[in-house]
Amino acid sequence: MDIVLIGSGNVATQLGLILIKSGHRILQVYSRTMVNAEELAYKLSSNAIDSISELDISAEVYIVSVKDDVLKDLLLELPQLNGIICHTAGSVDMDVLDRFEHFGVFYPFQTFTKEKLVDFKQVPVLLEADNDKVYETLLKLAESISDKVSKASSQQRGKLHVAAVFACNFVNHMYRLSEDLLEDSGLSFELLHPLIKETADKVMSISPSLTQTGPASRDDQMIIQKHKYLLKEQEPYSSIYKNLTESILALNKSK
Amino acid sequence: MDIVLIGSGNVATQLGLILIKSGHRILQVYSRTMVNAEELAYKLSSNAIDSISELDISAEVYIVSVKDDVLKDLLLELPQLNGIICHTAGSVDMDVLDRFEHFGVFYPFQTFTKEKLVDFKQVPVLLEADNDKVYETLLKLAESISDKVSKASSQQRGKLHVAAVFACNFVNHMYRLSEDLLEDSGLSFELLHPLIKETADKVMSISPSLTQTGPASRDDQMIIQKHKYLLKEQEPYSSIYKNLTESILALNKSK
């Protein structure tokens, strides 16, 4: 298909790369910042633009991947389009697009950074569309890059996004805090790699409700007090340790 | 080396298996419970004992792997030894051993179960020793089973244990909360598998301080408010979302 990418961030980059790898054409890459548009357009053998007035109106699909808080303003600038316009945002309802003729949502459910290539076949893509015809087109596009395509309403996508904040963003923050704690003691974060890998591997086959370990899960107050003392007055470690330990203890008690 | 294992639990089992595989001899396996000593001794072509008086005093290294809360009492029962005595506990200071002549700590940093074999070469082993000569012996022993041997003081080991609570126990709790959130919306936890895997994989090669994504990391207040509204009055999600979001925002501002 002939596609225009609006945005040049992590999601646009990874989507663009897998789309051309799967045989699609990226007609244009738009970014407010020309150097960003050019950087991605170069990777995709595409054309960079930084003005909406230059938008190619012959594309079949326009994929808008910009920060959620600029999405609405950007959409106001866009002309009426013959192709399908879709956004890639987890927490934005589809109806922000309803002044367009054909619209939908194309939500790749993964965490992306520009530098690290992703095995897109394993990335769930969640679709929502204004009507069946749009859905069929988005389905065809999604299935050309992923083996895990499914339908999700705006409401489900919202819940999924919150769940992802816990399972990915907050998890990464835990990694970050543990790295900082180790650095304070002159120890390398690499020491934690095997443990991090094992913890993630485990929940691929066993529910995380059955794999909780550690002092809170066995209500080991001696160790909990020792840890609280170690972290005393060190924020944010201290309050997070307290908050999450209480949450694990409460879940145990409710069992 | 000629080694005596004191204890027959998960750590003793995994250590014993890798030690004989690496060419060492396990002279004896001690457990208070004879059937447990016998079970492990059988696996290690070793001799089971359940009485301290039968302890072979010719071993070069005695590895004590028992539960933290029985360790001190057990140590009181032991005779003076010519060999090195070391424990394998993350949260117990080395000085519990200071009435012995040669002592140290041999701490394999991973979660173990008896049944699941571990790739020990990848397991960090943290050493602490009373003096250089003891350290050299423990180092030789540790390097024969693991590629990731390093030195850690009792204080560092304590910090490492706290860091592991963040990187493993709290991470698993995040997985658990996200599973519960999805179940409420009729979505499968499996949708999160690729995201969980990618998030863990990423920090194997890039510092988590550079891989933070999500609404808090880009200070996307619109989405943050939306998520807070979605989780409103749902505990523990609501307070944890608030706490961790603030922590990520604060880290960004301090950059």
Side-chain angles (χ1 to χ4, degrees):
Chain A
M1 291 184 202
D2 285 350
I3 297 163
V4 166
L5 287 182
I6 298 174
S8 61
N10 299 340
V11 177
T13 299
Q14 295 289 341
L15 262 181
L17 290 170
I18 188 67
L19 285 168
I20 59 163
K21 203 177 153 197
S22 308
H24 303 285
R25 267 204 308 177
I26 309 298
L27 300 183
Q28 290 177 325
V29 175
Y30 164 85
S31 168
R32 280 182 302 185
T33 314
M34 193 55 175
V35 62
N36 293 345
E38 279 170 344
E39 190 191 348
L40 180 54
Y42 177 77
K43 288 182 193 168
L44 305 177
S45 309
S46 183
N47 301 302
I49 58 169
D50 64 353
S51 163
I52 289 292
S53 63
E54 295 171 61
L55 208 65
D56 189 326
I57 55 161
S58 71
E60 288 163 88
V61 180
Y62 297 78
I63 300 179
V64 186
S65 285
V66 297
K67 284 185 188 169
D68 297 359
D69 54 358
V70 302
L71 178 60
K72 279 191 187 178
D73 287 341
L74 178 84
L75 291 176
L76 288 175
E77 293 180 42
L78 292 179
Q80 197 51 258
L81 298 162
N82 295 320
I84 295 167
I85 179 165
C86 53
H87 73 67
T88 60
S91 286
V92 179
D93 286 356
M94 181 174 68
D95 63 17
V96 297
L97 297 165
D98 62 8
R99 78 167 178 86
F100 295 94
E101 208 160 339
H102 315 290
F103 57 95
V105 176
F106 193 97
Y107 179 43
F109 188 54
Q110 183 55 286
T111 171
F112 298 107
T113 46
K114 279 186 192 176
E115 297 74 19
K116 189 169 181 288
L117 258 180
V118 158
D119 176 13
F120 227 104
K121 284 280 166 209
Q122 299 307 310
V123 174
V125 177
L126 297 165
L127 302 178
E128 186 177 8
D130 173 40
N131 63 51
D132 289 351
K133 203 164 155 251
V134 170
Y135 187 81
E136 286 307 313
T137 305
L138 293 182
L139 184 66
K140 218 172 109 187
L141 186 64
E143 286 183 339
S144 74
I145 60 173
S146 165
D147 289 337
K148 296 186 171 181
V149 182
S150 54
K151 210 172 201 167
S153 68
S154 290
Q155 203 188 2
Q156 285 179 314
R157 212 170 51 247
K159 280 288 181 76
L160 196 62
H161 193 198
V162 181
V165 169
F166 282 83
C168 166
N169 306 149
F170 289 168
V171 161
N172 190 78
H173 189 52
M174 294 299 114
Y175 297 156
R176 165 73 189 273
L177 295 178
S178 65
E179 181 182 49
D180 290 352
L181 278 170
L182 289 188
E183 271 176 10
D184 287 349
S185 313
L187 292 164
S188 159
F189 180 63
E190 277 182 31
L191 281 171
L192 285 169
H193 284 183
L195 200 58
I196 285 172
K197 192 176 175 312
E198 176 75 4
T199 306
D201 281 355
K202 221 181 273 184
V203 295
M204 301 296 147
S205 52
I206 310 171
S207 160
S209 63
L210 303 172
T211 59
Q212 188 65 52
T213 57
S217 80
R218 52 174 196 272
D219 198 1
D220 188 336
Q221 287 297 333
M222 196 185 84
I223 302 292
I224 292 170
Q225 294 314 320
K226 193 169 178 176
H227 287 174
K228 282 185 177 171
Y229 180 78
L230 262 174
L231 299 173
K232 196 178 49 158
E233 285 164 32
Q234 277 190 73
E235 287 301 344
Y237 312 103
S238 179
S239 65
I240 290 174
Y241 189 93
K242 195 166 168 282
N243 191 351
L244 297 184
T245 293
E246 276 165 13
S247 177
I248 294 170
L249 288 170
L251 264 180
N252 283 351
K253 272 172 196 150
S254 71
K255 268 194 290 205
Chain B
M1 291 184 204
D2 285 349
I3 296 162
V4 166
L5 288 181
I6 298 174
S8 59
N10 299 338
V11 177
T13 299
Q14 295 289 340
L15 264 180
L17 289 170
I18 188 67
L19 285 169
I20 58 162
K21 205 177 150 193
S22 306
H24 303 285
R25 266 205 307 178
I26 308 298
L27 300 183
Q28 292 177 323
V29 175
Y30 164 84
S31 169
R32 279 183 301 185
T33 314
M34 193 57 177
V35 61
N36 293 345
E38 280 171 345
E39 191 190 349
L40 181 52
Y42 176 78
K43 288 182 191 166
L44 305 177
S45 308
S46 183
N47 301 304
I49 57 168
D50 65 352
S51 164
I52 290 292
S53 63
E54 296 170 61
L55 209 66
D56 189 326
I57 55 162
S58 72
E60 290 164 87
V61 180
Y62 296 78
I63 301 177
V64 186
S65 286
V66 297
K67 285 185 186 166
D68 296 3
D69 54 358
V70 301
L71 178 60
K72 280 191 187 179
D73 288 340
L74 178 82
L75 292 176
L76 288 176
E77 293 179 44
L78 293 179
Q80 196 52 259
L81 298 161
N82 295 319
I84 295 167
I85 180 163
C86 53
H87 74 64
T88 61
S91 53
V92 179
D93 286 357
M94 181 174 67
D95 63 16
V96 298
L97 297 165
D98 62 9
R99 78 168 179 87
F100 294 95
E101 208 162 339
H102 314 291
F103 57 94
V105 176
F106 193 99
Y107 178 44
F109 188 54
Q110 181 55 288
T111 51
F112 297 106
T113 50
K114 280 187 192 176
E115 298 74 19
K116 190 176 175 246
L117 257 181
V118 159
D119 177 12
F120 227 103
K121 284 281 165 209
Q122 298 307 312
V123 175
V125 177
L126 298 164
L127 302 179
E128 186 177 9
D130 173 39
N131 63 52
D132 289 351
K133 200 163 158 256
V134 169
Y135 187 79
E136 285 308 313
T137 306
L138 292 183
L139 184 66
K140 219 173 109 188
L141 186 64
E143 286 184 338
S144 73
I145 60 172
S146 166
D147 289 338
K148 298 186 170 179
V149 182
S150 53
K151 209 172 200 166
S153 66
S154 291
Q155 206 188 2
Q156 285 178 315
R157 220 171 41 247
K159 280 285 183 76
L160 194 63
H161 194 192
V162 181
V165 169
F166 281 83
C168 168
N169 306 149
F170 290 169
V171 161
N172 189 80
H173 189 52
M174 294 299 115
Y175 297 156
R176 165 71 190 274
L177 296 178
S178 65
E179 181 182 48
D180 290 352
L181 278 169
L182 288 187
E183 271 176 10
D184 288 349
S185 312
L187 292 163
S188 160
F189 180 64
E190 277 182 32
L191 276 171
L192 286 168
H193 283 183
L195 195 60
I196 286 171
K197 192 176 176 311
E198 176 71 7
T199 306
D201 281 355
K202 218 180 266 186
V203 295
M204 301 297 147
S205 52
I206 310 170
S207 160
S209 62
L210 303 172
T211 59
Q212 188 65 54
T213 57
S217 80
R218 50 177 198 272
D219 198 2
D220 189 335
Q221 286 297 334
M222 197 185 82
I223 301 296
I224 292 170
Q225 295 313 321
K226 195 166 179 177
H227 285 174
K228 283 185 178 172
Y229 180 79
L230 261 174
L231 298 174
K232 196 177 48 157
E233 287 163 31
Q234 278 189 73
E235 287 303 345
Y237 312 103
S238 179
S239 64
I240 290 175
Y241 189 94
K242 194 164 168 285
N243 191 352
L244 297 184
T245 293
E246 276 165 13
S247 177
I248 295 169
L249 288 169
L251 264 180
N252 283 352
K253 270 171 199 154
S254 70
K255 267 193 294 204

